[in-house]
Amino acid sequence: MRKAAPAPRVIAVVGPTAAGKSDLGVALARHFDGEVVNADSMQLYRGMDIGTAKLTTEERGGVPHHLLDVWDVTETANVAEYQRLARIEIDKLLAQGRTPVLVGGSGLYVRGALDAMEFPGTDPEVRARLEEELTLRGPGALHARLAAADPAAAAAILPSNGRRIVRALEVIEITGRPFTANLPGHESVYDTVQIGVDVARPELDERIARRVDRMWEDGLVAEVRALEAIGLREGITASRALGYQQVLSALAGECTEDEAKAETVRATKRFARRQDSWFRRDPRVHWLSGAAADRGELPGLAQSLVERAVTA
């Protein structure tokens, strides 16, 4: 009898928000004697629990989770630093004979953890000049410039996301190449199987709306108010997180809570589409139907995929 191939050393669960990645990650970690490594950029922030759909201790079911609650809300996200932290956790788990299960929908963070990527440095003078221009002219003007220099980058970055627009323009100026040209090919540094959770768009939209309803019921406004008191509004990255940005606007009197909630739903749907497009471009992702989760079949399908040792 032919001996079964060993399971891949790292499992990644990816896909759009509200697809069911977190629960699947826990199930796979249990089955393969593993632990979860977070790859959601906003779950790295302490205190941002409700609005990021961070699993509660009970929902983690005893499975250790790493890289949650790492940064204060006043700290600016840094994917190069995340790469360093993620690889420390992955290497530590591998050395212990445990299976790292990377879970998250932040595409660049997933690739930073798993792929051969080096991130361009920063130039304080260039960054300061672009940030000053952002303040004076607004993100729309800089986004238009980015669209002319690198249409692919502009398509992937919201016109309102000033921080990411500034970073893309900074990299273009420093390297002399399009921002997207600095992303390498799909070269993994770990033996990995990547599982994408695929949910049909109408169903995903309904899940997003229900999730936002639950966030409001669970106290998102109170969570944002408490974080505002410790500097959330000044946090360049955290203050722009979905839900948090909208609630901050409501707290500032710029809109009503109902309007903030409706905008959170709309913005999250747009974000989910961009996540889906990002992961669809990676040929190494093996997609499984999220509808199988409703029938209790998704964990079994994912386990079978991993046990076939399909690597990417």
Side-chain angles (χ1 to χ4, degrees), residues 200-211:
R201 186 161 293 177
E203 170 63 18
L204 188 63
D205 285 349
E206 290 180 12
R207 291 190 186 191
I208 288 169
R210 291 197 300 268
R211 172 178 282 189

Side-chain angles (χ1 to χ4, degrees), residues 13-214:
V13 180
V14 303
T17 188
K21 299 184 298 297
S22 297
D23 290 340
L24 179 58
V26 168
L28 289 172
R30 280 177 172 165
H31 186 80
F32 291 104
D33 189 28
E35 301 181 11
V36 170
V37 179
N38 168 52
D40 181 315
S41 62
M42 293 304 154
Q43 291 193 7
L44 286 155
Y45 285 102
R46 277 186 287 272
M48 292 177 63
D49 302 331
I50 297 171
T52 65
K54 195 179 293 178
L55 292 185
T56 65
T57 301
E58 293 74 19
E59 289 169 334
R60 297 172 202 173
V63 173
H65 280 58
H66 304 275
L67 299 188
L68 296 173
D69 308 319
V70 174
W71 295 329
D72 292 330
V73 293
T74 53
E75 295 183 61
T76 301
N78 183 325
V79 67
E81 173 63 7
Y82 170 78
Q83 179 187 63
R84 185 185 72 81
L85 295 172
R87 291 187 179 179
I88 288 173
E89 297 297 341
I90 291 171
D91 292 343
K92 187 187 305 180
L93 290 170
L94 291 173
Q96 296 168 352
R98 306 277 283 168
T99 301
V101 182
L102 194 76
V103 180
S106 298
L108 191 58
Y109 282 61
V110 172
R111 292 205 59 192
L114 300 177
D115 288 354
M117 295 184 70
E118 293 185 8
F119 295 95
T122 187
D123 184 315
E125 291 185 5
V126 172
R127 173 67 65 88
R129 173 164 44 79
L130 289 169
E131 288 180 344
E132 182 180 5
E133 187 173 352
L134 175 66
T135 301
L136 293 174
R137 301 184 61 199
L142 269 67
H143 191 268
R145 187 196 305 173
L146 179 62
D150 188 349
I157 300 174
L158 278 178
S160 60
N161 194 333
R163 181 187 63 83
R164 288 196 63 198
I165 296 167
V166 164
R167 175 56 178 162
L169 290 171
E170 179 191 23
V171 169
I172 291 170
E173 188 164 337
I174 291 172
T175 65
R177 299 186 300 166
F179 178 69
T180 47
N182 289 280
L183 293 176
H186 299 111
E187 181 184 350
S188 302
V189 296
Y190 297 103
D191 180 21
T192 306
V193 60
Q194 297 193 46
I195 300 170
V197 184
D198 182 19
V199 179
R201 186 161 293 177
E203 170 63 18
L204 188 63
D205 285 349
E206 290 180 12
R207 291 190 186 191
I208 288 169
R210 291 197 300 268
R211 172 178 282 189
V212 172
D213 281 340
R214 286 196 304 271

Side-chain angles (χ1 to χ4, degrees), residues 178-260:
F179 178 69
T180 47
N182 289 280
L183 293 176
H186 299 111
E187 181 184 350
S188 302
V189 296
Y190 297 103
D191 180 21
T192 306
V193 60
Q194 297 193 46
I195 300 170
V197 184
D198 182 19
V199 179
R201 186 161 293 177
E203 170 63 18
L204 188 63
D205 285 349
E206 290 180 12
R207 291 190 186 191
I208 288 169
R210 291 197 300 268
R211 172 178 282 189
V212 172
D213 281 340
R214 286 196 304 271
M215 288 175 177
W216 248 260
E217 293 167 2
D218 291 344
L220 177 60
V221 174
E223 178 174 276
V224 175
R225 187 177 285 112
L227 292 171
E228 182 184 24
I230 58 172
L232 174 62
R233 196 174 289 277
E234 288 71 46
I236 293 174
T237 306
S239 66
R240 294 191 175 98
L242 289 169
Y244 296 86
Q245 179 179 10
Q246 288 76 19
V247 173
L248 284 172
S249 293
L251 294 177
E254 297 167 1
C255 64
T256 67
E257 278 193 26
D258 285 344
E259 289 169 339

Side-chain angles (χ1 to χ4, degrees), residues 264-277:
T264 299
V265 173
R266 287 191 293 268
T268 304
K269 289 178 181 179
R270 292 193 297 268
F271 178 61
R273 284 155 175 69
R274 291 197 306 277
Q275 288 176 298
D276 189 69
S277 296

